[in-house]
Amino acid sequence: MQLCIQNTTNVYRKISHKRLVASTNVSSQKAMVGRRFWRFQEEFGVEMEGVRRSIMVFREKVDFSVRGKAVLEQRTFASILEGMIEDYSDVISGDKKARETIDHVQMLASNAGNPHELSRQKSLNQEMVQEAEQEAQKQKEKQVDAIKYYVYVQCIRMHILVKAM
């Protein structure tokens, strides 16, 4: 689930990063040392609001407040993703590829709670673990064979040295 949230957030961040990089390419008169920060404070307009919004995409809000002793509501993973999409819909407006990516992540998230999908994922995970264990066993066997060969060669050298004396 965390990976789906991260992938969704990265779509917004990628678009916001492009917008921020484009906004830093300022004219030579605005490129005075130390003026970049103040440019965000002094200039107003549609473009600058977009840049400010792009900065806000990179800020993750952390809420440490405790609301009583009970959990208010249990949110599904799909509803969490829907909330993210609503919050950042203005960032991806007009970007068809970004929208397709987010729809794909949502589709994967909606299948995450499906019992058939869970059993399929579990069997795939078991298969991957089994393959990894087999690969580790092969590596151990190769190491043992290498050690045996090294010991064999050393024994032959010792035997040759003893005969030469």
Side-chain angles (χ1 to χ4, degrees):
M1 286 193 279
Q2 183 63 32
L3 186 58
C4 287
I5 291 174
Q6 185 177 8
N7 287 340
T8 304
T9 307
N10 285 345
V11 171
Y12 301 121
R13 287 180 176 167
K14 183 177 180 182
I15 294 169
S16 297
H17 180 262
K18 287 179 183 178
R19 185 179 291 165
L20 288 170
V21 168
S23 75
T24 58
N25 297 331
V26 296
S27 64
S28 59
Q29 65 187 19
K30 291 184 179 180
M32 295 186 301
V33 176
R35 295 296 298 165
R36 286 190 177 182
F37 171 75
W38 292 107
R39 186 169 54 92
F40 291 106
Q41 305 300 322
E42 296 169 350
E43 294 182 17
F44 298 99
V46 176
E47 181 180 335
M48 195 51 60
E49 283 300 317
V51 171
R52 286 188 184 106
R53 177 68 173 139
S54 295
I55 291 171
M56 293 304 293
V57 167
F58 287 95
R59 293 185 179 169
E60 293 185 17
K61 297 175 185 172
V62 179
D63 184 15
F64 292 108
S65 63
V66 178
R67 298 180 188 103
K69 293 186 178 182
V71 176
L72 295 177
E73 67 179 59
Q74 183 179 0
R75 294 177 60 192
T76 64
F77 184 60
S79 68
I80 293 171
L81 285 178
E82 283 294 326
M84 285 179 63
I85 292 168
E86 289 174 13
D87 291 343
Y88 299 117
S89 62
D90 59 324
V91 175
I92 63 166
S93 62
D95 193 341
K96 185 178 178 182
K97 188 172 184 176
R99 186 69 219 178
E100 289 173 358
T101 303
I102 290 173
D103 289 342
H104 180 71
V105 171
Q106 272 188 309
M107 186 266 309
L108 291 175
S110 66
N111 285 340
N114 185 350
H116 176 67
E117 183 66 23
L118 289 175
S119 65
R120 188 178 76 81
Q121 287 294 330
K122 186 176 179 182
S123 66
L124 286 174
N125 287 342
Q126 287 174 344
E127 185 178 329
M128 289 188 332
V129 168
Q130 185 179 15
E131 287 176 4
E133 289 172 350
Q134 288 174 349
E135 187 66 31
Q137 183 65 28
K138 286 180 184 178
Q139 288 292 343
K140 285 181 183 179
E141 289 173 2
K142 285 181 182 180
Q143 288 175 349
V144 168
D145 288 343
I147 291 171
K148 285 180 181 178
Y149 178 74
Y150 177 76
V151 170
Y152 174 74
V153 169
Q154 293 301 321
C155 287
I156 290 176
R157 285 184 180 171
M158 292 297 281
H159 184 68
I160 292 172
L161 286 173
V162 169
K163 280 189 174 182
M165 293 180 153

